[in-house]
Amino acid sequence: MSCKCRLLNIGFGNSVVAERIIAIVNPNSAPMKRLREEAREAKRLIDATQGRRTRSIIITDSNHVILSAIQAETISQRLATDLIKAYGESNEEGCPEVQEEKSSKRKEKAA
């Protein structure tokens, strides 16, 4: 039995299942600070900073809030790269949207 879950490195040997991520945000705004405190009170906060400064907050579909010491932009780039690889492995021509667009252009030329 094999699992096709892709893990996303969020720094210092910590990983998150990429398909479960809803948002990656900067922690500096007041709403994000409130979100962090609410998650802490509800025991949904996961601190993966290893004692370093929080540079990004990851929100998952299970409503967990994960703190990371890696910049939000860096994690977003890693996620985008991971998704491109996933589409490439599942489909030789790339993502489904591109494939659909190519087939519709072929149909237009044929008509």
Side-chain angles (χ1 to χ4, degrees), residues 31-47 57-60 62-67:
M32 291 305 110
K33 290 177 183 176
R34 277 195 304 272
L35 178 73
R36 180 193 312 189
E37 287 308 312
E38 289 171 3
R40 179 173 284 130
E41 291 168 5
K43 306 229 185 281
R44 292 181 286 108
L45 183 72
I46 300 168
D47 188 350
I57 297 176
I58 301 166
I59 303 166
T60 65
S62 62
N63 214 16
H64 283 84
V65 175
I66 304 168
L67 307 180

Side-chain angles (χ1 to χ4, degrees), residues 44-103:
R44 292 181 286 108
L45 183 72
I46 300 168
D47 188 350
T49 61
Q50 304 290 322
R52 291 172 175 83
R53 181 172 161 241
T54 300
R55 295 185 178 211
S56 63
I57 297 176
I58 301 166
I59 303 166
T60 65
D61 61 354
S62 62
N63 214 16
H64 283 84
V65 175
I66 304 168
L67 307 180
S68 175
I70 305 295
Q71 290 284 350
E73 293 82 16
T74 303
I75 295 174
S76 297
Q77 287 175 349
R78 290 178 185 176
L79 181 61
T81 302
D82 189 50
L83 290 174
I84 290 170
K85 285 181 186 176
Y87 280 127
E89 289 174 4
S90 67
N91 186 347
E92 294 289 328
E93 293 184 26
C95 68
E97 291 82 9
V98 172
Q99 190 178 27
E100 191 175 303
E101 187 176 314
K102 287 180 181 179
S103 67

